[in-house]
Amino acid sequence: MKSASYVLQVAGLCKSFGDTPVLKDLSLSLEAGAFACVMGPSGSGKSTFLHLIAGLLTPDAGTVTIAGHELSALSDHDATCFRRRHIGLVFQDFNLVQTLTVHENVTLPLLLDGAEPDRKKIDALLEKLGIAARRDALPATLSGGERQRVAIARACAANPDVILADEPTGNLDSPSARSFCGILKQMNEEVGRTILMVSHDPVIAAYASTVHILKDGRFVDTFDTRHDPAFISERYLKTMK
Ligand SMILES: Nc1ncnc2c1ncn2[C@@H]1O[C@H](COP(=O)(O)OP(=O)(O)OP(=O)(O)O)[C@@H](O)[C@H]1O
Ligand SMILES: [Mg+2]
């Protein structure tokens, strides 16, 4: 029986590419409203981990359960529908559709799901993210920070249970990165959105409440961030020794 208080449960996840094991028996549970960050060296499998959770890759062993649904038990079609409804993805390249406006990009996942977008709700979301004035603009005419906010709006539009963000601030300057994380945190605190983010930057990780350190395919340390970049950095370096 799975505990109802966990929105995301990962159990015994294993993944190899060819003969190379990348993830070895990873488990992680997040309660509703958690804000967690996975840190680890380049190539340690952070993106692979998020892709497995999002159902974009299939694990060799183990299970991913979101809002009580085990992903591997779903057909491809059902998994795609499930993803649109329950998981918000913010990846580094944002994947905005260049020929669609800001508003159209944000409502696209809802339309693909056959849902009627709630115009008031979407407008309120764009307002909250400070991009309402750009609702009819094309992505090519936006700044990097604005594009990032569109990606968050799109990730939030369907009220997902979990937002997965893979190094979402990788291409931003520091002020934009902080403003982006502030928005994520606001979504987490005000709407109780559960967030799992990947970052190698302690300043970014400090927005999360807990850090899970991935090394050699396993979680080797999990701790409360205290929202303190210096503390995170020290602990991270100690773990990497
Ligand atoms: N499709 C794939 N085919 C083969 N090997 C892969 C594939 N995807 C990832 N890998 C390998 O798996 C390992 C983990 O990759 P992953 O992208 O998950 O790392 P990461 O922790 O996200 O790294 P970074 O911090 O550089 O983004 C790497 O050695 C990578 O080369
Ligand atoms: Mg990566």
Side-chain angles (χ1 to χ4, degrees):
M1 178 78 184
K2 302 254 159 28
S3 164
S5 67
Y6 290 119
V7 165
L8 171 67
Q9 283 186 296
V10 175
L13 211 58
C14 299
K15 182 72 184 175
S16 298
F17 290 113
D19 292 337
T20 313
V22 174
L23 301 181
K24 306 167 188 166
D25 195 19
L26 284 192
S27 296
L28 175 79
S29 295
L30 295 185
E31 290 183 12
F35 189 170
C37 179
V38 174
M39 296 180 80
S42 180
S44 60
K46 305 179 296 296
S47 295
T48 303
F49 182 57
L50 283 202
H51 282 82
L52 287 165
I53 295 175
L56 299 171
L57 277 177
T58 311
D60 300 331
T63 56
V64 175
T65 306
I66 293 177
H69 297 266
E70 195 194 311
L71 284 188
S72 60
L74 302 176
S75 66
D76 282 355
H77 173 261
D78 288 352
T80 303
C81 293
F82 182 85
R83 207 160 42 230
R84 281 196 207 115
R85 285 177 203 158
H86 296 271
I87 305 174
L89 300 177
V90 187
F91 287 172
Q92 209 168 1
D93 53 8
F94 313 134
N95 288 320
L96 298 179
V97 181
Q98 296 300 324
T99 50
L100 298 181
T101 65
V102 164
H103 185 264
E104 288 164 344
N105 263 286
V106 171
T107 52
L108 183 64
L110 294 167
L111 295 172
L112 288 173
D113 201 29
E116 183 64 39
D118 178 339
R119 197 190 151 112
K120 260 193 179 159
K121 211 188 105 193
I122 300 293
D123 284 348
L125 187 60
L126 297 182
E127 192 71 51
K128 190 180 184 62
L129 291 166
I131 43 173
R134 311 302 319 270
R135 80 190 290 288
D136 298 318
L138 293 172
T141 67
L142 303 176
S143 74
E146 285 169 338
R147 276 201 283 274
Q148 223 140 10
R149 282 177 271 161
V150 177
I152 301 190
R154 185 187 50 188
C156 292
N159 270 329
D161 294 294
V162 181
I163 292 179
L164 303 174
D166 190 359
E167 307 224 29
T169 60
N171 295 325
L172 294 187
D173 58 32
S174 301
S176 303
R178 278 171 212 193
S179 130
F180 172 86
C181 288
I183 291 165
L184 265 193
K185 184 138 192 70
Q186 203 181 359
M187 294 285 170
N188 172 248
E189 287 174 350
E190 289 177 10
V191 201
R193 213 70 77 205
T194 307
I195 300 175
L196 181 59
M197 172 173 85
V198 161
S199 179
H200 60 271
D201 181 346
V203 173
I204 300 302
Y207 284 85
S209 302
T210 51
V211 159
H212 303 263
I213 295 186
L214 187 58
K215 186 185 173 191
D216 301 330
R218 298 180 200 277
F219 284 127
V220 290
D221 196 10
T222 294
F223 56 90
D224 185 331
T225 64
R226 303 180 193 174
H227 304 299
D228 177 353
F231 170 74
I232 296 169
S233 182
E234 195 182 310
R235 184 105 177 211
Y236 180 75
L237 291 174
K238 208 187 271 176
T239 312
M240 286 305 137
K241 270 186 189 160

